[in-house]
mmCIF file of all heavy atoms in Angstrom:
data_model
loop_
_atom_site.group_PDB
_atom_site.id
_atom_site.type_symbol
_atom_site.label_atom_id
_atom_site.label_comp_id
_atom_site.label_asym_id
_atom_site.label_seq_id
_atom_site.Cartn_x
_atom_site.Cartn_y
_atom_site.Cartn_z
ATOM 1 N N PRO A 5 -4.685 -1.657 -7.546
ATOM 2 C CA PRO A 5 -4.295 -0.619 -6.591
ATOM 3 C C PRO A 5 -4.998 -0.802 -5.256
ATOM 4 O O PRO A 5 -5.975 -1.553 -5.143
ATOM 5 C CB PRO A 5 -4.727 0.679 -7.286
ATOM 6 C CG PRO A 5 -5.812 0.259 -8.223
ATOM 7 C CD PRO A 5 -5.453 -1.119 -8.672
ATOM 8 N N LYS A 6 -4.517 -0.106 -4.248
ATOM 9 C CA LYS A 6 -5.063 -0.265 -2.898
ATOM 10 C C LYS A 6 -6.577 -0.054 -2.848
ATOM 11 O O LYS A 6 -7.286 -0.720 -2.105
ATOM 12 C CB LYS A 6 -4.359 0.705 -1.935
ATOM 13 C CG LYS A 6 -2.927 0.335 -1.617
ATOM 14 C CD LYS A 6 -2.369 1.174 -0.492
ATOM 15 C CE LYS A 6 -1.876 2.528 -0.952
ATOM 16 N NZ LYS A 6 -0.580 2.467 -1.644
ATOM 17 N N GLN A 7 -7.075 0.890 -3.654
ATOM 18 C CA GLN A 7 -8.503 1.189 -3.611
ATOM 19 C C GLN A 7 -9.349 0.029 -4.139
ATOM 20 O O GLN A 7 -10.537 -0.070 -3.829
ATOM 21 C CB GLN A 7 -8.811 2.436 -4.449
ATOM 22 C CG GLN A 7 -8.056 3.680 -3.988
ATOM 23 C CD GLN A 7 -6.735 3.846 -4.719
ATOM 24 O OE1 GLN A 7 -5.999 2.887 -4.903
ATOM 25 N NE2 GLN A 7 -6.439 5.068 -5.114
ATOM 26 N N ALA A 8 -8.753 -0.841 -4.965
ATOM 27 C CA ALA A 8 -9.523 -1.917 -5.594
ATOM 28 C C ALA A 8 -9.224 -3.297 -5.024
ATOM 29 O O ALA A 8 -9.996 -4.231 -5.228
ATOM 30 C CB ALA A 8 -9.254 -1.920 -7.105
ATOM 31 N N ALA A 9 -8.109 -3.452 -4.321
ATOM 32 C CA ALA A 9 -7.728 -4.772 -3.801
ATOM 33 C C ALA A 9 -8.539 -5.118 -2.560
ATOM 34 O O ALA A 9 -8.856 -4.247 -1.756
ATOM 35 C CB ALA A 9 -6.242 -4.784 -3.470
ATOM 36 N N ASP A 10 -8.858 -6.398 -2.410
ATOM 37 C CA ASP A 10 -9.440 -6.831 -1.137
ATOM 38 C C ASP A 10 -8.530 -7.840 -0.439
ATOM 39 O O ASP A 10 -8.863 -8.366 0.610
ATOM 40 C CB ASP A 10 -10.858 -7.376 -1.309
ATOM 41 C CG ASP A 10 -10.927 -8.686 -2.074
ATOM 42 O OD1 ASP A 10 -9.884 -9.250 -2.447
ATOM 43 O OD2 ASP A 10 -12.043 -9.146 -2.298
ATOM 44 N N ALA A 11 -7.366 -8.086 -1.039
ATOM 45 C CA ALA A 11 -6.342 -8.928 -0.417
ATOM 46 C C ALA A 11 -5.014 -8.642 -1.100
ATOM 47 O O ALA A 11 -4.957 -7.949 -2.124
ATOM 48 C CB ALA A 11 -6.704 -10.408 -0.547
ATOM 49 N N TYR A 12 -3.942 -9.171 -0.514
ATOM 50 C CA TYR A 12 -2.609 -9.056 -1.095
ATOM 51 C C TYR A 12 -1.985 -10.442 -1.199
ATOM 52 O O TYR A 12 -2.256 -11.334 -0.391
ATOM 53 C CB TYR A 12 -1.707 -8.152 -0.249
ATOM 54 C CG TYR A 12 -1.983 -6.679 -0.443
ATOM 55 C CD1 TYR A 12 -2.720 -5.963 0.484
ATOM 56 C CD2 TYR A 12 -1.510 -6.012 -1.563
ATOM 57 C CE1 TYR A 12 -2.987 -4.628 0.311
ATOM 58 C CE2 TYR A 12 -1.766 -4.669 -1.756
ATOM 59 C CZ TYR A 12 -2.493 -3.979 -0.816
ATOM 60 O OH TYR A 12 -2.757 -2.646 -1.004
ATOM 61 N N TYR A 13 -1.118 -10.557 -2.190
ATOM 62 C CA TYR A 13 -0.435 -11.825 -2.452
ATOM 63 C C TYR A 13 1.040 -11.553 -2.669
ATOM 64 O O TYR A 13 1.415 -10.577 -3.316
ATOM 65 C CB TYR A 13 -1.036 -12.487 -3.694
ATOM 66 C CG TYR A 13 -0.193 -13.581 -4.330
ATOM 67 C CD1 TYR A 13 -0.177 -14.864 -3.802
ATOM 68 C CD2 TYR A 13 0.577 -13.319 -5.461
ATOM 69 C CE1 TYR A 13 0.580 -15.860 -4.386
ATOM 70 C CE2 TYR A 13 1.339 -14.315 -6.051
ATOM 71 C CZ TYR A 13 1.340 -15.586 -5.513
ATOM 72 O OH TYR A 13 2.099 -16.574 -6.089
ATOM 73 N N ARG A 14 1.890 -12.414 -2.114
ATOM 74 C CA ARG A 14 3.327 -12.353 -2.390
ATOM 75 C C ARG A 14 3.772 -13.693 -2.917
ATOM 76 O O ARG A 14 3.620 -14.724 -2.262
ATOM 77 C CB ARG A 14 4.134 -12.026 -1.136
ATOM 78 C CG ARG A 14 5.538 -11.534 -1.468
ATOM 79 C CD ARG A 14 6.546 -11.837 -0.366
ATOM 80 N NE ARG A 14 7.117 -13.164 -0.567
ATOM 81 C CZ ARG A 14 7.961 -13.741 0.269
ATOM 82 N NH1 ARG A 14 8.291 -13.142 1.382
ATOM 83 N NH2 ARG A 14 8.440 -14.936 0.024
ATOM 84 N N ALA A 15 4.322 -13.686 -4.134
ATOM 85 C CA ALA A 15 4.742 -14.938 -4.769
ATOM 86 C C ALA A 15 5.910 -15.566 -4.008
ATOM 87 O O ALA A 15 6.694 -14.862 -3.374
ATOM 88 C CB ALA A 15 5.137 -14.682 -6.218
ATOM 89 N N PRO A 16 6.045 -16.894 -4.072
ATOM 90 C CA PRO A 16 7.169 -17.556 -3.402
ATOM 91 C C PRO A 16 8.486 -17.244 -4.088
ATOM 92 O O PRO A 16 8.528 -16.974 -5.289
ATOM 93 C CB PRO A 16 6.829 -19.045 -3.527
ATOM 94 C CG PRO A 16 5.979 -19.127 -4.749
ATOM 95 C CD PRO A 16 5.182 -17.855 -4.777
ATOM 96 N N ILE A 17 9.568 -17.269 -3.338
ATOM 97 C CA ILE A 17 10.903 -17.073 -3.905
ATOM 98 C C ILE A 17 11.396 -18.378 -4.503
ATOM 99 O O ILE A 17 11.978 -18.417 -5.584
ATOM 100 C CB ILE A 17 11.887 -16.609 -2.813
ATOM 101 C CG1 ILE A 17 11.356 -15.377 -2.102
ATOM 102 C CG2 ILE A 17 13.258 -16.327 -3.417
ATOM 103 C CD1 ILE A 17 12.142 -15.032 -0.870
ATOM 104 N N THR A 18 11.189 -19.458 -3.783
ATOM 105 C CA THR A 18 11.632 -20.784 -4.219
ATOM 106 C C THR A 18 10.479 -21.757 -4.055
ATOM 107 O O THR A 18 9.464 -21.437 -3.437
ATOM 108 C CB THR A 18 12.827 -21.277 -3.385
ATOM 109 O OG1 THR A 18 12.388 -21.504 -2.037
ATOM 110 C CG2 THR A 18 13.955 -20.254 -3.368
ATOM 111 N N ARG A 19 10.637 -22.943 -4.582
ATOM 112 C CA ARG A 19 9.599 -23.962 -4.395
ATOM 113 C C ARG A 19 9.406 -24.277 -2.919
ATOM 114 O O ARG A 19 8.319 -24.629 -2.475
ATOM 115 C CB ARG A 19 9.974 -25.256 -5.139
ATOM 116 C CG ARG A 19 10.188 -25.101 -6.623
ATOM 117 C CD ARG A 19 8.995 -24.550 -7.355
ATOM 118 N NE ARG A 19 7.850 -25.436 -7.350
ATOM 119 C CZ ARG A 19 6.658 -25.104 -7.822
ATOM 120 N NH1 ARG A 19 6.456 -23.898 -8.297
ATOM 121 N NH2 ARG A 19 5.669 -25.961 -7.804
ATOM 122 N N GLY A 20 10.468 -24.122 -2.144
ATOM 123 C CA GLY A 20 10.414 -24.518 -0.738
ATOM 124 C C GLY A 20 9.536 -23.652 0.127
ATOM 125 O O GLY A 20 9.082 -24.091 1.169
ATOM 126 N N ASP A 21 9.291 -22.388 -0.278
ATOM 127 C CA ASP A 21 8.496 -21.541 0.609
ATOM 128 C C ASP A 21 7.052 -21.403 0.128
ATOM 129 O O ASP A 21 6.305 -20.588 0.610
ATOM 130 C CB ASP A 21 9.145 -20.169 0.786
ATOM 131 C CG ASP A 21 8.959 -19.248 -0.412
ATOM 132 O OD1 ASP A 21 8.605 -19.742 -1.492
ATOM 133 O OD2 ASP A 21 9.176 -18.039 -0.253
ATOM 134 N N LYS A 22 6.630 -22.236 -0.824
ATOM 135 C CA LYS A 22 5.292 -22.094 -1.378
ATOM 136 C C LYS A 22 4.203 -22.453 -0.370
ATOM 137 O O LYS A 22 3.066 -22.046 -0.521
ATOM 138 C CB LYS A 22 5.182 -22.893 -2.674
ATOM 139 C CG LYS A 22 4.405 -24.148 -2.666
ATOM 140 C CD LYS A 22 4.357 -24.797 -4.027
ATOM 141 C CE LYS A 22 2.961 -24.855 -4.532
ATOM 142 N NZ LYS A 22 2.740 -25.769 -5.608
ATOM 143 N N GLU A 23 4.537 -23.201 0.703
ATOM 144 C CA GLU A 23 3.522 -23.567 1.679
ATOM 145 C C GLU A 23 3.186 -22.411 2.622
ATOM 146 O O GLU A 23 2.185 -22.459 3.326
ATOM 147 C CB GLU A 23 3.996 -24.769 2.511
ATOM 148 C CG GLU A 23 4.152 -26.068 1.717
ATOM 149 C CD GLU A 23 5.437 -26.122 0.921
ATOM 150 O OE1 GLU A 23 6.349 -25.312 1.192
ATOM 151 O OE2 GLU A 23 5.521 -26.947 -0.006
ATOM 152 N N MET A 24 4.040 -21.405 2.678
ATOM 153 C CA MET A 24 3.776 -20.293 3.583
ATOM 154 C C MET A 24 2.494 -19.571 3.167
ATOM 155 O O MET A 24 2.180 -19.472 1.985
ATOM 156 C CB MET A 24 4.942 -19.295 3.552
ATOM 157 C CG MET A 24 6.236 -19.836 4.134
ATOM 158 S SD MET A 24 7.513 -18.555 4.117
ATOM 159 C CE MET A 24 8.884 -19.468 4.830
ATOM 160 N N ASN A 25 1.759 -19.049 4.136
ATOM 161 C CA ASN A 25 0.547 -18.299 3.841
ATOM 162 C C ASN A 25 0.945 -16.938 3.294
ATOM 163 O O ASN A 25 1.457 -16.095 4.013
ATOM 164 C CB ASN A 25 -0.297 -18.146 5.114
ATOM 165 C CG ASN A 25 -1.662 -17.570 4.805
ATOM 166 O OD1 ASN A 25 -1.789 -16.627 4.040
ATOM 167 N ND2 ASN A 25 -2.689 -18.144 5.400
ATOM 168 N N ARG A 26 0.709 -16.729 2.004
ATOM 169 C CA ARG A 26 1.130 -15.496 1.361
ATOM 170 C C ARG A 26 -0.044 -14.721 0.784
ATOM 171 O O ARG A 26 0.121 -13.881 -0.078
ATOM 172 C CB ARG A 26 2.152 -15.799 0.260
ATOM 173 C CG ARG A 26 3.494 -16.233 0.804
ATOM 174 C CD ARG A 26 4.330 -16.941 -0.243
ATOM 175 N NE ARG A 26 3.832 -18.279 -0.511
ATOM 176 C CZ ARG A 26 3.045 -18.592 -1.550
ATOM 177 N NH1 ARG A 26 2.706 -17.700 -2.410
ATOM 178 N NH2 ARG A 26 2.634 -19.833 -1.717
ATOM 179 N N VAL A 27 -1.265 -15.017 1.216
ATOM 180 C CA VAL A 27 -2.429 -14.219 0.840
ATOM 181 C C VAL A 27 -2.973 -13.581 2.108
ATOM 182 O O VAL A 27 -3.322 -14.284 3.057
ATOM 183 C CB VAL A 27 -3.508 -15.081 0.156
ATOM 184 C CG1 VAL A 27 -4.744 -14.248 -0.131
ATOM 185 C CG2 VAL A 27 -2.968 -15.683 -1.138
ATOM 186 N N TRP A 28 -3.033 -12.250 2.123
ATOM 187 C CA TRP A 28 -3.400 -11.527 3.334
ATOM 188 C C TRP A 28 -4.619 -10.656 3.075
ATOM 189 O O TRP A 28 -4.578 -9.760 2.218
ATOM 190 C CB TRP A 28 -2.222 -10.653 3.788
ATOM 191 C CG TRP A 28 -0.944 -11.421 3.901
ATOM 192 C CD1 TRP A 28 -0.704 -12.512 4.670
ATOM 193 C CD2 TRP A 28 0.281 -11.171 3.186
ATOM 194 N NE1 TRP A 28 0.595 -12.948 4.496
ATOM 195 C CE2 TRP A 28 1.225 -12.146 3.590
ATOM 196 C CE3 TRP A 28 0.681 -10.214 2.259
ATOM 197 C CZ2 TRP A 28 2.518 -12.193 3.092
ATOM 198 C CZ3 TRP A 28 1.984 -10.260 1.758
ATOM 199 C CH2 TRP A 28 2.882 -11.243 2.186
ATOM 200 N N PRO A 29 -5.718 -10.890 3.772
ATOM 201 C CA PRO A 29 -6.897 -10.039 3.615
ATOM 202 C C PRO A 29 -6.553 -8.573 3.878
ATOM 203 O O PRO A 29 -5.724 -8.248 4.732
ATOM 204 C CB PRO A 29 -7.857 -10.582 4.680
ATOM 205 C CG PRO A 29 -7.416 -11.993 4.907
ATOM 206 C CD PRO A 29 -5.924 -11.978 4.729
ATOM 207 N N PHE A 30 -7.190 -7.705 3.134
ATOM 208 C CA PHE A 30 -6.916 -6.271 3.218
ATOM 209 C C PHE A 30 -6.998 -5.771 4.653
ATOM 210 O O PHE A 30 -6.165 -4.980 5.099
ATOM 211 C CB PHE A 30 -7.910 -5.516 2.318
ATOM 212 C CG PHE A 30 -7.605 -4.065 2.132
ATOM 213 C CD1 PHE A 30 -6.806 -3.638 1.083
ATOM 214 C CD2 PHE A 30 -8.129 -3.110 2.990
ATOM 215 C CE1 PHE A 30 -6.530 -2.289 0.893
ATOM 216 C CE2 PHE A 30 -7.853 -1.764 2.816
ATOM 217 C CZ PHE A 30 -7.055 -1.348 1.762
ATOM 218 N N GLU A 31 -8.008 -6.251 5.391
ATOM 219 C CA GLU A 31 -8.212 -5.753 6.748
ATOM 220 C C GLU A 31 -7.144 -6.237 7.723
ATOM 221 O O GLU A 31 -7.016 -5.689 8.831
ATOM 222 C CB GLU A 31 -9.602 -6.154 7.263
ATOM 223 C CG GLU A 31 -9.833 -7.650 7.413
ATOM 224 C CD GLU A 31 -10.339 -8.315 6.150
ATOM 225 O OE1 GLU A 31 -10.289 -7.695 5.066
ATOM 226 O OE2 GLU A 31 -10.803 -9.475 6.251
ATOM 227 N N LYS A 32 -6.356 -7.250 7.335
ATOM 228 C CA LYS A 32 -5.225 -7.665 8.164
ATOM 229 C C LYS A 32 -4.005 -6.769 7.920
ATOM 230 O O LYS A 32 -3.084 -6.718 8.738
ATOM 231 C CB LYS A 32 -4.847 -9.118 7.858
ATOM 232 C CG LYS A 32 -5.937 -10.142 8.154
ATOM 233 C CD LYS A 32 -6.214 -10.259 9.638
ATOM 234 C CE LYS A 32 -7.183 -11.391 9.920
ATOM 235 N NZ LYS A 32 -7.506 -11.499 11.368
ATOM 236 N N VAL A 33 -4.016 -6.068 6.798
ATOM 237 C CA VAL A 33 -2.878 -5.235 6.403
ATOM 238 C C VAL A 33 -3.060 -3.785 6.846
ATOM 239 O O VAL A 33 -2.144 -3.156 7.385
ATOM 240 C CB VAL A 33 -2.686 -5.300 4.872
ATOM 241 C CG1 VAL A 33 -1.540 -4.398 4.427
ATOM 242 C CG2 VAL A 33 -2.444 -6.745 4.423
ATOM 243 N N TYR A 34 -4.259 -3.232 6.631
ATOM 244 C CA TYR A 34 -4.529 -1.817 6.914
ATOM 245 C C TYR A 34 -5.580 -1.677 8.008
ATOM 246 O O TYR A 34 -6.441 -2.544 8.158
ATOM 247 C CB TYR A 34 -5.042 -1.132 5.648
ATOM 248 C CG TYR A 34 -4.034 -1.052 4.544
ATOM 249 C CD1 TYR A 34 -4.129 -1.898 3.436
ATOM 250 C CD2 TYR A 34 -2.990 -0.128 4.587
ATOM 251 C CE1 TYR A 34 -3.216 -1.819 2.402
ATOM 252 C CE2 TYR A 34 -2.071 -0.059 3.559
ATOM 253 C CZ TYR A 34 -2.183 -0.902 2.468
ATOM 254 O OH TYR A 34 -1.269 -0.830 1.452
ATOM 255 N N PRO A 35 -5.508 -0.553 8.755
ATOM 256 C CA PRO A 35 -4.476 0.483 8.726
ATOM 257 C C PRO A 35 -3.190 -0.006 9.387
ATOM 258 O O PRO A 35 -3.226 -0.812 10.325
ATOM 259 C CB PRO A 35 -5.101 1.629 9.520
ATOM 260 C CG PRO A 35 -6.054 0.947 10.464
ATOM 261 C CD PRO A 35 -6.593 -0.233 9.719
ATOM 262 N N ALA A 36 -2.067 0.484 8.913
ATOM 263 C CA ALA A 36 -0.770 0.029 9.407
ATOM 264 C C ALA A 36 -0.577 0.398 10.877
ATOM 265 O O ALA A 36 -1.057 1.432 11.349
ATOM 266 C CB ALA A 36 0.346 0.628 8.570
ATOM 267 N N GLU A 37 0.140 -0.475 11.574
ATOM 268 C CA GLU A 37 0.615 -0.190 12.930
ATOM 269 C C GLU A 37 2.112 0.099 12.850
ATOM 270 O O GLU A 37 2.717 0.017 11.767
ATOM 271 C CB GLU A 37 0.355 -1.392 13.846
ATOM 272 C CG GLU A 37 -1.098 -1.797 13.962
ATOM 273 C CD GLU A 37 -1.913 -0.807 14.779
ATOM 274 O OE1 GLU A 37 -1.317 -0.070 15.585
ATOM 275 O OE2 GLU A 37 -3.147 -0.777 14.595
#
């Protein structure tokens, strides 16, 4: 949950997008703009 996470991850849809940066530090996400 948000209170315990220090980062977020989004799995790739296909093999082709696995190189994209999909791990985001908590402080890059919150607080929302």
Side-chain angles (χ1 to χ4, degrees):
K6 288 190 278 284
Q7 301 92 316
D10 68 3
Y12 282 102
Y13 163 80
R14 198 208 88 184
I17 306 169
T18 67
R19 302 302 294 173
D21 76 344
K22 107 178 243 197
E23 294 79 16
M24 293 183 180
N25 189 316
R26 289 162 286 99
V27 176
W28 308 302
F30 190 91
E31 64 272 13
K32 298 293 187 182
V33 178
Y34 294 105
E37 301 288 338

